[in-house]
Amino acid sequence: MKQYRTERNQTVVVLLDSMSVDATALTRFVRQGGGLVLGGDALRVPSLAAISPARATVTRGALAGALLTDVPQNGLEAWELTPTRGSVVVRSDASDHSHREPVLVARRVGAGRVVA
């Protein structure tokens, strides 16, 4: 878990794996105006589900050679996101399933925000 200070001296926590976290402290931190970025396996931490803007459903495999194309994100393995209630899809991209797929989802929690 990494913490970054923003220009307004607010802190953002970046959580990228499913390591042991204090969900109560993180929830309190966000409700008081902090920011939380969830990515990777952190999207599947059950104790953070109440504040997460999205559920990670299945993994999308990486496409060989895609890092060198105009859609390099397809060269990375990623979770497919399903937005939770009260969340906003900030960005979606075309998928292989003939529909647009959320890739950046945000949610306000108290005075703070959580993005996935």
Side-chain angles (χ1 to χ4, degrees):
M1 178 168 52
K2 294 186 178 193
Q3 291 188 2
Y4 299 95
R5 294 239 178 241
T6 64
E7 289 182 18
R8 292 184 184 166
N9 206 24
Q10 297 172 335
T11 304
V12 175
V13 173
V14 178
L15 193 58
L16 300 175
D17 60 30
S18 58
M19 66 184 207
S20 177
V21 298
D22 185 343
T24 302
L26 273 176
T27 300
R28 185 177 333 109
F29 163 76
V30 172
R31 289 190 186 286
Q32 293 174 350
L36 177 60
V37 176
L38 296 174
D41 288 339
L43 288 164
R44 298 184 58 88
V45 175
S47 58
L48 295 175
I51 63 171
S52 179
R55 288 183 304 110
T57 52
V58 298
T59 55
R60 173 184 48 81
L63 298 175
L67 289 174
L68 303 174
T69 69
D70 59 340
V71 284
Q73 66 269 23
N74 289 341
L76 303 172
E77 187 174 281
W79 288 105
E80 289 186 11
L81 301 178
T82 301
T84 57
R85 187 175 183 172
S87 297
V88 175
V89 175
V90 178
R91 179 178 170 164
S92 60
D93 285 342
S95 74
D96 297 338
H97 312 295
S98 71
H99 67 276
R100 295 196 62 80
E101 204 171 87
V103 294
L104 181 61
V105 182
R107 177 179 181 187
R108 181 175 287 281
V109 177
R113 290 188 180 90
V114 183
V115 298

